[in-house]
């Protein structure tokens, strides 16, 4: 049995959360809701319950004016281009335990909604008062985003605000920036994301003070021109990367060489390192060339072996995957 | 690629003075210059391609987060078509692939032949994109007096030198026409062929009624590697993937045809990045030819041979006597060692220094040539060492019709 509106409001009071409450006839849309509370100066929210192909649920709670593009959101979550749909009515009733037209972050008070992921519009933080439904849509609660956060933390949810209108590029070198929002237990993306960008996901045990600014997840959209500067640090750490191998070799040799030689010849390391840098530049093409030869030869040997295996043993030659 | 020269203008044909100074002819089958050498500005105007300016080079540097290749910095690759579109899409996180090739007419490869491959390797490493390399053994069969077996053999031999340039087997597919044409590739060939009239192809390539039909129907073979659907084992489902073709500018008319046809058959136009011609040792207006081993540095040359060739045959812009040289300095416009250093000496500062000293007469031809010999020897030695590591099995691996799962990695 899900929480009733009264139970929710009681809980909010227990938590010393400041809120105001407005009753009105049942409303099913934001437009209708705005007729009753729109004049009060707060920010209306629109709340969507979305579902991905693996039946995971997401509440996207945004300012009424924020444009939410499901295709872009889907990509940012790592679900591919058409991975998100509006969830069917049953999910509202069974999982969130709220009526139609009443999707709200407050539904997360229900146990049944524990696996639902919540994406909050960062626009809420700049508003003094935001409007949400509490379990029923004949009432609107008005509260600040920090109070909302208080509530969310009390039900074990880390509040995370996202720029919902951003449309960062998602590709091989820039993994989906919202991938962490996908409920865990299932792999996030079908692409092999080599580098998971470290997002500032706050730890579970951070207890915020009354009006503290909670750490937010900074969505890191790939801004157009930053592509180049970021590229180097995002080079996939693959074992077959020749340039990386050559760099690794130098990284191994240089420090030891520098320290030994500087000791022996009584020369400062800094003087030596510029010589070493020049030396490195001159040697790199040849080193890369021999490394590439080795790589190609290794690949060839593997290719031959694979071919022979198929010829002689067919599919039996290879142990089954998974 | 078509004609003998896949690369920067080998076999620049010498046309007599009757040709007239104003007329230069540049197409895949013939390159002939007026008196002052090739007028590249005129060529770019005539062809309607664009010049590669410093801003574009800087943009490449920014996008790839590494110094641009020597050939870009020094303006050897100097023209393009729609390169900026490729850079735009790359910046957006989209992909493209590279396409280049060679007409395997001889076993002996010289530095001029290697230039497009050296540059293509740089592009592959810098942008981390896949590459298809076409060996047009059928073309050589059609144009030269070769048997099919010999053409195929030459293709494989050339493949070894190409591999030695350092291409990444995880990202490179080499194919020869005799082996690969068929299936989706052939379907595209026929689609292209249907879009080009006899008159048009004669106009572009200068065919005559006496030419056999093999020649006339050949051009589509070289057009279709620009289209990803020609390689279903690589790019299946990605029909609109863009293609960038590094080549010498004499190939331009050829890809003009391809770009004209592409939208008509629902494909993207390939982009081009084009190079100047590589001068023969004896000077810009002479011919690099297989029959004259002293006209070029071959990848099989020993250090001694390189030294002899450069010292004896490289055309010098220096003065005839030391006194005169100290007084007047060298003519850099015709000096071949300086031109070669321009292509192959990495260090910008050192090059500037040499040019300055040589021009003002303080440096002598001998010294410049000596520096060139060192640079070329290093290059050739590196190539030879890599070439020695290439086995028949490795060629098989590069030429196998196999998936390349890490091609964009």
């Amino acid at each position: 049995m899900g929480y009733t509106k009264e139970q929710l409001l009681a809980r909010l009071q227990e938590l010393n959360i400041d809120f105001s409450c407005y009753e009105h006839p049942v409303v099913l849309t934001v437009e209708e809701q705005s007729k009753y509370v729109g004049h009060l100066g707060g920010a209306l929210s629109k709340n969507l319950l979305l579902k991905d192909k693996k039946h995971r649920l997401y509440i996207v709670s945004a300012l009424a004016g924020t444009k939410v593009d499901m295709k872009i959101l889907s990509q940012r979550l790592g679900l591919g281009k058409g991975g998100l749909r509006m969830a069917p009515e049953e999910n509202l009733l069974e999982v969130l335990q709220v009526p139609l037209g009443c999707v709200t972050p407050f539904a997360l008070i229900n146990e049944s909604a524990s696996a639902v992921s919540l994406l909050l519009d960062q626009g809420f933080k700049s508003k003094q008062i935001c409007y949400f439904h509490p379990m029923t849509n004949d009432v609107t609660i008005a509260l600040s985003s920090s109070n909302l956060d208080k509530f969310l933390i009390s039900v074990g949810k880390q509040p995370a605000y996202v720029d919902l209108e951003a449309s960062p590029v998602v590709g091989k070198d820039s993994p989906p920036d919202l991938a962490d929002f996908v409920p865990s237990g299932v792999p996030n993306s079908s692409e092999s994301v080599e580098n998971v960008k470290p997002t500032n996901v706050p730890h579970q045990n951070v207890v915020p003070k009354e009006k503290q600014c909670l750490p937010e997840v900074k969505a890191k959209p790939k801004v157009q021109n930053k592509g180049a500067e970021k590229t180097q640090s995002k080079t996939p750490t693959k074992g077959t990367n020749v340039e990386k191998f050559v760099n690794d070799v130098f990284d191994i040799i240089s420090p030891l060489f520098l320290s030994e030689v500087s000791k022996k010849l009584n020369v400062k390391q800094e003087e030596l390192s510029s010589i070493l840098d020049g030396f490195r530049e001159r040697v790199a093409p040849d080193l890369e060339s021999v490394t590439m030869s080795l790589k190609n030869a290794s690949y060839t040997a593997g290719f031959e072996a694979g071919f022979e295996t198929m010829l002689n043993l067919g599919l039996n030659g290879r142990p089954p995957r998974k | 690629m078509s004609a003998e020269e896949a690369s920067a203008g080998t076999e620049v044909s010498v046309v007599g003075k009757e040709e007239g100074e104003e007329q230069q002819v540049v197409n895949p089958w013939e390159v002939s210059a007026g008196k002052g050498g090739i007028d590249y500005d005129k060529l770019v105007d005539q062809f309607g391609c664009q010049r590669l300016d410093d801003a574009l080079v800087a943009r490449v540097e920014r996008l790839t987060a590494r110094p641009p290749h020597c050939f870009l910095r020094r303006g050897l690759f100097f023209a393009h078509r729609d390169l900026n579109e490729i850079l735009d899409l790359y910046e957006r996180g989209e992909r493209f692939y590279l396409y280049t090739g060679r007409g395997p007419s001889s076993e002996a490869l010289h530095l001029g032949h290697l230039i497009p491959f050296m540059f293509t390797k740089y592009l592959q490493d810098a942008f981390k994109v896949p590459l298809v390399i076409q060996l047009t053994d059928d073309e050589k069969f059609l144009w030269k007096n070769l048997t099919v077996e010999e053409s195929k053999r030459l293709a494989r031999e050339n493949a070894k030198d190409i591999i030695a340039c350092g291409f990444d087997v995880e990202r490179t597919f080499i194919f020869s026409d005799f082996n690969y044409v068929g299936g989706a590739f052939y379907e595209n060939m026929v689609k292209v062929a249907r879009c080009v009239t006899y008159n048009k192809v004669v106009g572009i390539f200068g065919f005559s009624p006496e030419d056999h039909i093999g020649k006339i129907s050949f051009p589509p073979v070289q057009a279709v590697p620009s289209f990803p659907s020609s390689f279903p084992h690589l790019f299946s489902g990605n029909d609109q993937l863009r293609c960038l073709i590094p080549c010498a500018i004499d190939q331009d008319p050829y890809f003009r045809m391809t770009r004209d046809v592409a939208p008509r058959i629902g494909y993207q136009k390939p982009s081009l990045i084009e190079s100047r011609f590589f001068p023969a040792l004896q000077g810009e207006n002479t011919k690099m030819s297989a029959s004259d081993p002293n006209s070029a540095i071959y990848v099989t040359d020993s250090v001694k041979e390189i030294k002899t060739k450069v010292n004896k045959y490289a055309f010098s812009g220096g003065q005839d006597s030391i006194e005169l040289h100290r007084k007047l300095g060298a003519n850099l416009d015709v000096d071949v060692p300086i031109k070669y250093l321009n292509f192959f000496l990495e260090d910008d500062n050192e090059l500037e220094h040499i040019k300055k000293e040589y021009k003002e007469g303080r440096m002598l031809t001998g010294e410049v040539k000596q520096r060139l010999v060192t640079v070329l020897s290093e290059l050739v030695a590196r190539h030879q060492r890599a070439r020695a590591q290439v086995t028949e099995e490795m060629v098989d691996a590069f030429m196998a019709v196999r998936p390349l799962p890490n091609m964009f990695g």
Side-chain angles (χ1 to χ4, degrees), chain A residues 139-185:
Chain A
V139 178
T140 296
I141 307 186
L143 76 174
S144 67
S145 63
S146 48
N147 275 320
L148 177 65
D149 294 338
K150 224 170 161 181
F151 161 77
L152 289 170
I153 292 171
S154 79
V155 296
K157 282 280 184 206
Q158 269 311 321
Y161 292 84
V162 169
D163 179 358
L164 288 173
E165 287 189 316
S167 62
V169 177
V170 174
K172 211 74 196 208
D173 286 322
S174 49
D177 66 312
L178 301 180
D180 292 328
F181 282 91
V182 177
S184 54

Side-chain angles (χ1 to χ4, degrees), chain A residues 22-24 30-44 129 131 140:
Chain A
Y22 304 96
E23 290 182 3
H24 47 69
V30 175
E31 290 75 52
E32 285 180 53
Q33 187 185 26
S34 79
K35 280 196 272 189
Y36 299 104
V37 296
H39 59 287
L40 296 171
L44 285 160
I129 298 285
Y131 296 135
T140 296

Side-chain angles (χ1 to χ4, degrees), chain A residues 3 15 25 30 37 58 96 102 181 190 217 220 224 240 249 276:
Chain A
Y3 278 71
L15 293 168
V30 175
V37 296
Y58 307 81
L96 292 190
C102 195
F181 282 91
S190 43
V217 173
K220 290 198 183 135
Q224 294 282 9
T240 54
V249 168
L276 200 58

Side-chain angles (χ1 to χ4, degrees), chain A residues 169 172 222 224-225 228 231-232 238 240 243 282 285-286 289-290 292-293 295-297 299-300 303-304, chain B residues 62-63 65-66 91-92 95 125 166-170 378 382 385-386 389 393-394 397-398 400 402 409:
Chain A
V169 177
K172 211 74 196 208
K222 179 178 174 187
Q224 294 282 9
N225 291 340
T231 307
Q232 280 227 299
K238 273 220 291 283
T240 54
E243 283 174 12
R282 283 191 56 193
D286 283 307
S289 170
V290 295
M292 186 63 88
S293 290
K295 173 178 169 173
N296 288 343
Y299 178 103
T300 301
F303 190 77
E304 283 290 308
Chain B
R62 204 170 21 90
L63 284 175
R66 66 177 68 200
E91 200 167 28
R92 289 198 296 270
R95 307 296 186 187
D125 290 343
F167 291 108
D168 186 340
V169 69
E170 284 193 297
E378 273 180 32
R382 186 179 311 141
R385 184 181 49 225
Q389 301 291 328
E393 289 79 16
M394 203 182 281
F398 269 91
R402 68 206 189 281

